[in-house]
């Protein structure tokens, strides 16, 4: 079904006009993987990896059904971007569902399921969008900022100005 | 910057939503074929197959060329490039996150070993 991209580790597939599914297997028991998604001090360590180029500024998570979260990215207050929403379902250690309210009417609902198999954890993340257009134009994070390219451009500009 | 036209994406996803059309693309991936041949292979009427090819053509996934009385179909050159780029942009984000998550899980496992299997 649909398009699939996989390097054998992270597979991403658009399973319908409204849904995107990401799957990956982690080499650890489900309780540890679930902890890494639900304890802010651990979540902070991986949600904004270096290669994204945009650091995590703050991370508040009240991980329980009905609780809310707020995550901000940026280099400082001036360019900070906030992502926030509510946990619709927190069922340790197998299921997490949250809303992405920064998208307003077009915000997706994210469902993450965790399944243990022989000490490994199969993770499936599903984003369900309210409309086809919302998914077409979704920005999971900062992908369109292409930070690597900006960094390269910065370096190029430094090189150029040094040689002027 | 990942650029794509929403209209073309819509057409592509709609075109790919049908099993016969996906089969046709798969077949054209190995060799060009005429509409008559495709209709026979998929046990369809010529009219039915013409409709499917029309949808695939609209989406830019297939091109057709009429030589004499035979219309040959082949894969469109720009077929899935945009969709592939769209998916790939998202895959890169999640892959980067999950590579970092791997490291966190490894660290947690080591910590548990040190703590003698006591989880917090």
């Amino acid at each position: 079904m649909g398009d699939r991209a996989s390097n054998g580790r992270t597979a991403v597939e658009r399973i319908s006009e409204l849904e995107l599914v990401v799957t990956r297997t982690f080499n650890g028991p489900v309780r540890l993987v679930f902890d890494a998604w639900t304890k802010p001090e651990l979540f902070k360590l991986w949600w904004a990896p270096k290669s994204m180029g945009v650091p995590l500024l703050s991370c508040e998570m009240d991980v329980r059904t009905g609780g809310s979260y707020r995550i901000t990215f940026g280099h400082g207050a001036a360019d900070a971007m906030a992502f926030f929403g509510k946990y619709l379902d927190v069922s340790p250690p197998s299921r997490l569902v949250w809303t992405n309210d920064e998208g307003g009417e077009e915000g997706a609902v994210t469902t993450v399921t965790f399944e243990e198999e022989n000490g490994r954890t199969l993770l499936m993340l599903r984003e369900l969008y309210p409309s086809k257009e919302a998914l077409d134009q979704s920005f999971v994070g900062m992908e369109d900022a292409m930070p690597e390219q900006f960094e390269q451009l910065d370096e190029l500009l430094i090189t150029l100005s040094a040689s002027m | 910057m990942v650029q794509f036209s929403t209209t073309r994406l819509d057409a592509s996803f709609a075109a790919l939503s049908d099993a016969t059309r996906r089969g046709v693309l798969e077949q054209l991936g190995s060799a060009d074929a005429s509409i008559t041949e495709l209709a026979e292979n998929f046990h369809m009427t010529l009219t039915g197959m013409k409709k499917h090819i029309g949808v695939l053509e609209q989406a830019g996934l297939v091109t057709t060329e009429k030589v004499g009385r035979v219309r040959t179909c082949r894969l469109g050159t720009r077929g899935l490039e945009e969709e592939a780029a769209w998916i790939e942009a998202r895959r890169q984000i999640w892959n980067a996150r999950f590579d970092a998550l791997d490291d966190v899980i490894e660290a947690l496992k080591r910590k548990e070993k040190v703590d003698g299997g006591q989880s917090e």
Side-chain angles (χ1 to χ4, degrees), chain A residues 15-73:
Chain A
I15 58 165
S16 77
E17 287 180 339
L18 306 180
E19 294 164 290
L20 193 72
V21 168
V22 185
T23 49
R24 169 113 164 198
T25 302
F26 293 94
N27 191 16
V30 79
R31 63 192 156 76
L32 293 185
V33 181
F34 193 83
D35 274 355
W37 281 78
T38 51
K39 292 185 171 172
E41 69 276 16
L42 296 175
F43 185 83
K44 264 191 233 181
L45 298 173
W46 63 272
W47 188 252
K50 264 207 172 61
S51 64
M52 245 192 207
V54 188
L56 204 63
L57 286 173
S58 69
C59 169
E60 297 150 30
M61 299 160 67
D62 176 16
V63 190
R64 57 196 170 93
T65 301
S68 55
Y69 71 89
R70 186 181 180 87
I71 297 162
T72 59
F73 289 95

Side-chain angles (χ1 to χ4, degrees), chain B residues 14-35:
Chain B
L16 292 168
S17 66
D18 177 272
T20 303
R21 292 198 286 268
R22 289 197 299 272
V24 167
L25 287 178
E26 204 171 333
Q27 191 170 334
L28 293 179
S30 44
D32 298 350
S34 72
I35 292 193

Side-chain angles (χ1 to χ4, degrees), chain A residues 132-133 136-137, chain B residues 4-13 82:
Chain A
K132 185 160 42 66
E133 292 71 27
D136 284 346
Q137 290 162 32
Chain B
F4 52 83
S5 96
T6 305
T7 324
R8 273 242 6 247
L9 265 182
D10 290 351
S12 301
F13 284 119
E82 285 179 6

Side-chain angles (χ1 to χ4, degrees), chain A:
Chain A
M1 280 302 291
D3 290 288
R4 179 190 289 277
S6 171
N7 64 350
R9 294 171 62 72
T10 306
V12 177
E13 193 175 3
R14 182 167 180 160
I15 58 165
S16 77
E17 287 180 339
L18 306 180
E19 294 164 290
L20 193 72
V21 168
V22 185
T23 49
R24 169 113 164 198
T25 302
F26 293 94
N27 191 16
V30 79
R31 63 192 156 76
L32 293 185
V33 181
F34 193 83
D35 274 355
W37 281 78
T38 51
K39 292 185 171 172
E41 69 276 16
L42 296 175
F43 185 83
K44 264 191 233 181
L45 298 173
W46 63 272
W47 188 252
K50 264 207 172 61
S51 64
M52 245 192 207
V54 188
L56 204 63
L57 286 173
S58 69
C59 169
E60 297 150 30
M61 299 160 67
D62 176 16
V63 190
R64 57 196 170 93
T65 301
S68 55
Y69 71 89
R70 186 181 180 87
I71 297 162
T72 59
F73 289 95
H75 298 280
D79 71 342
M81 283 177 287
F83 294 81
F84 52 90
K86 268 200 169 56
Y87 293 101
L88 298 179
D89 181 16
V90 177
S91 306
S94 54
R95 201 167 117 99
L96 273 179
V97 184
W98 69 79
T99 63
N100 296 272
D101 294 343
E102 71 281 347
E105 295 282 289
E106 297 289 77
V109 173
T110 307
T111 302
V112 190
T113 57
F114 306 78
E115 237 179 287
E116 189 163 328
E117 210 174 280
N118 306 322
R120 291 159 69 81
T121 299
L122 172 64
L123 183 138
M124 182 194 275
L125 179 139
R126 176 169 155 261
E127 290 182 323
L128 175 63
Y129 287 81
S131 73
K132 185 160 42 66
E133 292 71 27
L135 174 50
D136 284 346
Q137 290 162 32
S138 65
F139 305 121
V140 182
M142 274 51 72
E143 78 215 29
D144 278 37
M146 295 292 270
E148 285 88 347
Q149 287 189 353
F150 281 129
E151 277 170 14
Q152 286 161 4
L153 183 61
D154 282 342
E155 282 168 9
L156 182 67
L157 290 173
I158 292 164
T159 315
L160 286 176
S161 60
S163 63
M164 292 286 252

